[in-house]
């Protein structure tokens, strides 16, 4: 009783400050409909309902429905020879043709430089030149670029048949140097990967790069092919019964595995532990975000005002959840957050009133409390 009387006497002594106090104690509000207040007008608030969640799911599905059919190959074609490859050619029963191949690296009279280049020297063989040709005894110059090993072997045997009876030719690629892909991002060994006779699928490329790092976001793997860009979600592919091993890479492709740190959600306001949260492979619900930050502060949080602020290329969208409504927990679990979303829990009117009182009358509550002490 003494405590209440002390506060009342303190407030009655400053009526003008009391009016200011009431104004400062108002809680956070956004407009419930479009406003004509100009460029600085607050964005309209959209109440989170089952209808809105369904509309968001359909919109997300349209954005995620990227056509990946050009990347899916069930039966990959065999490797074709390209410029820069080194071929090993053997004509059986004709050893005089075995040493006709020349090393790709030019000879150098400096032994020191030759020793330094020894580790990187190309194996001795027939190098496909920039025009896609090789030169072989009796056959002369002929083009092998774009041919499989079997096709190149057949053509060479036909040319040698004019000079050698029933030539038995063995032709294989000794060094694969014409086709490469680049792997970057959250893999253990980023860098160039040469395409060889083993089909270069997405999973093959990731495995050759040492596999994904623990920080890798499996929902955001970017594949750049020329001017086109594809975003691949590994888990979504599996859910659609599409094997990631059927995603075929092409020469010159750039694959980047993004980090989970690039997809964060920021939770602030009246929660127990405000902080930035990392999404779980591209997925995080509003309920999970509130749970991972300890939930709404029971002493100061306003369960009627849980906001999600989302910046889109078109405009800023603000969603509000009223946790008092029936089924609000189910809607919070179904509401999917996006990277860079800001979740804000507003303070209750009583908490705002208390803080405004503390600002206007520093130590007033402490002094009033001390008056009641015997």
């Amino acid at each position: 009783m003494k405590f209440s009387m002390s506060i009342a006497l303190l407030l009655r002594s400053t009526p003008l400050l009391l009016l200011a106090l009431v104004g400062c104690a108002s809680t956070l509000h956004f407009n419930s409909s479009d406003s004509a207040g100009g460029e600085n007008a607050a964005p309209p608030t959209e109440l989170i309902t089952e209808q809105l969640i369904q509309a968001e799911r359909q919109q997300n599905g349209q954005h995620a429905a990227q056509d990946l059919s050009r990347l899916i190959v069930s039966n990959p074609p065999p490797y074709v020879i390209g410029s820069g490859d080194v071929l090993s050619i053997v004509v059986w029963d004709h050893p005089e043709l075995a040493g006709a191949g020349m090393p790709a690296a030019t000879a150098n009279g400096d032994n020191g430089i030759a020793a330094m280049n020894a580790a990187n020297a190309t194996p001795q063989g027939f190098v496909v030149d920039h025009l896609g040709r090789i030169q072989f005894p009796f056959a002369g110059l002929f083009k092998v670029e774009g041919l499989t090993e079997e096709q190149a072997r057949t053509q060479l045997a036909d040319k040698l048949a004019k000079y050698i009876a029933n030539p038995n030719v063995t032709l294989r690629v000794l060094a694969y140097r014409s086709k490469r892909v680049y792997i970057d991002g959250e893999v253990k060994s980023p860098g160039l990967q040469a395409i060889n006779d083993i089909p270069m699928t997405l999973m093959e490329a990731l495995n050759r790069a040492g596999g994904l790092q623990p920080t890798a976001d499996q929902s955001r793997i970017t594949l750049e092919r020329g001017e086109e860009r594809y975003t691949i979600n590994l888990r979504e592919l599996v859910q659609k019964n599409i094997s990631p091993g059927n995603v075929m890479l092409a020469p010159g492709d750039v694959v980047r595995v993004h980090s989970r740190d690039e997809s964060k959600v920021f939770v602030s306001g009246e929660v127990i532990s405000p902080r930035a949260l990392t999404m779980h492979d591209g997925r995080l619900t509003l309920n999970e975000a509130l749970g991972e930050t300890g939930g709404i502060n029971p002493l100061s949080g306003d369960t009627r005002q849980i906001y999600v602020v989302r910046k889109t290329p078109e405009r800023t969208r603000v969603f509000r959840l009223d946790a008092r409504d029936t089924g609000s927990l189910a809607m919070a679990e179904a509401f999917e957050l996006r990277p860079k979303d800001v979740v804000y829990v507003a303070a209750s009117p009583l908490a705002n009133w208390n803080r405004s009182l503390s600002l206007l009358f520093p130590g007033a509550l402490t002094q009033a409390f001390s008056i009641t002490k015997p």
Side-chain angles (χ1 to χ4, degrees):
M1 188 67 176
K2 293 181 179 180
F3 177 78
S4 301
M5 293 177 62
S6 300
I7 294 294
L9 290 174
L10 181 62
L11 294 179
R12 279 201 299 268
S13 62
T14 53
L16 295 178
L17 290 179
L18 177 58
L19 294 176
L21 175 64
V22 174
C24 295
S26 60
T27 57
L28 176 66
H29 288 284
F30 291 92
N31 296 334
S32 58
S33 60
D34 291 333
S35 174
E39 297 180 356
N40 296 327
T45 301
E46 304 174 54
L47 187 64
I48 297 178
T49 61
E50 294 183 358
Q51 292 76 12
L52 183 139
I53 292 174
Q54 186 64 26
E56 286 292 303
R57 285 179 177 174
Q58 293 178 356
Q59 184 178 4
N60 293 339
Q62 293 175 358
H63 287 301
Q66 191 176 17
D67 186 14
L68 301 179
S69 59
R70 297 180 58 185
L71 307 178
I72 307 300
V73 179
S74 301
N75 298 315
Y79 180 84
V80 295
I81 300 171
S83 178
D85 287 341
V86 182
L87 307 181
S88 171
I89 303 175
V90 176
V91 181
W92 294 93
D93 297 328
H94 291 274
E96 70 277 6
L97 303 179
M102 298 297 294
T106 58
N108 194 314
D110 191 336
N111 293 333
I113 297 179
M116 286 175 18
N117 294 332
N120 297 324
T122 303
Q124 185 173 358
F126 296 87
V127 181
V128 183
D129 64 13
H130 66 286
L131 297 178
R133 307 171 302 176
I134 63 170
Q135 186 172 12
F136 195 81
F138 301 128
L141 281 171
F142 72 100
K143 190 172 182 178
V144 295
E145 184 177 17
L147 303 178
T148 64
E149 291 181 348
E150 182 178 356
Q151 292 171 339
R153 180 169 56 249
T154 301
Q155 285 196 15
L156 179 58
D158 292 341
K159 292 180 179 293
L160 294 179
K162 299 177 182 179
Y163 308 97
I164 301 174
N166 299 322
N168 186 5
V169 180
T170 298
L171 183 149
R172 64 184 182 88
V173 180
L174 193 61
Y176 299 90
R177 305 192 306 169
S178 62
K179 304 174 182 66
R180 298 179 180 180
V181 296
Y182 186 78
I183 313 298
D184 189 21
E186 299 301 310
V187 292
K188 294 182 180 179
S189 301
L192 290 172
Q193 297 293 334
I195 299 178
N196 54 22
D197 55 333
I198 300 176
M200 181 62 80
T201 64
L202 177 62
M203 298 306 298
E204 178 71 18
L206 294 177
N207 288 332
R208 290 191 193 181
L212 299 176
Q213 296 276 21
T215 56
D217 187 352
Q218 297 186 24
S219 67
R220 295 184 63 210
I221 299 179
T222 304
L223 191 155
E224 296 182 7
R225 179 174 295 176
E227 296 181 355
E228 298 181 354
R229 173 175 294 187
Y230 303 90
T231 300
I232 300 174
N233 187 331
L234 292 183
R235 295 193 173 185
E236 188 176 275
L237 287 181
V238 174
Q239 292 175 356
K240 294 180 179 180
N241 295 324
I242 300 176
S243 173
N246 291 336
V247 178
M248 190 64 57
L249 301 184
D253 282 355
V254 178
V255 177
R256 175 174 174 80
V257 182
H258 292 267
S259 172
R260 291 182 179 178
D261 292 337
E262 299 177 16
S263 302
K264 286 190 174 182
V265 171
F266 306 93
V267 184
S268 62
E270 304 304 318
V271 292
I272 300 299
S273 302
R275 65 176 185 271
L277 299 177
T278 301
M279 302 187 75
H280 310 304
D281 289 328
R283 185 183 183 278
L284 188 69
T285 66
L286 177 57
N287 193 36
E288 291 173 337
L290 293 174
E292 292 189 22
T293 54
I296 301 174
N297 192 326
L299 300 179
S300 59
D302 188 352
T303 57
R304 301 170 301 174
Q305 299 190 78
I306 303 174
Y307 295 97
V308 177
V309 182
R310 176 176 299 165
K311 181 68 175 178
T312 64
E314 298 81 13
R315 59 190 175 93
T316 299
R317 302 182 66 184
V318 179
F319 306 94
R320 182 175 70 87
L321 176 69
D322 188 345
R324 302 175 306 169
D325 293 342
T326 303
S328 60
L329 293 179
M331 288 187 291
E333 179 61 27
F335 188 82
E336 297 276 351
L337 299 177
R338 296 184 187 178
K340 308 302 181 183
D341 276 358
V342 177
V343 179
Y344 181 84
V345 180
S348 64
L350 179 60
N352 279 323
W353 187 88
N354 183 26
R355 291 168 184 172
S356 300
L357 179 64
S358 299
L359 291 174
L360 293 174
F361 304 103
L365 292 179
T366 304
Q367 294 175 6
F369 180 76
S370 61
I371 294 174
T372 62
K373 290 185 178 180

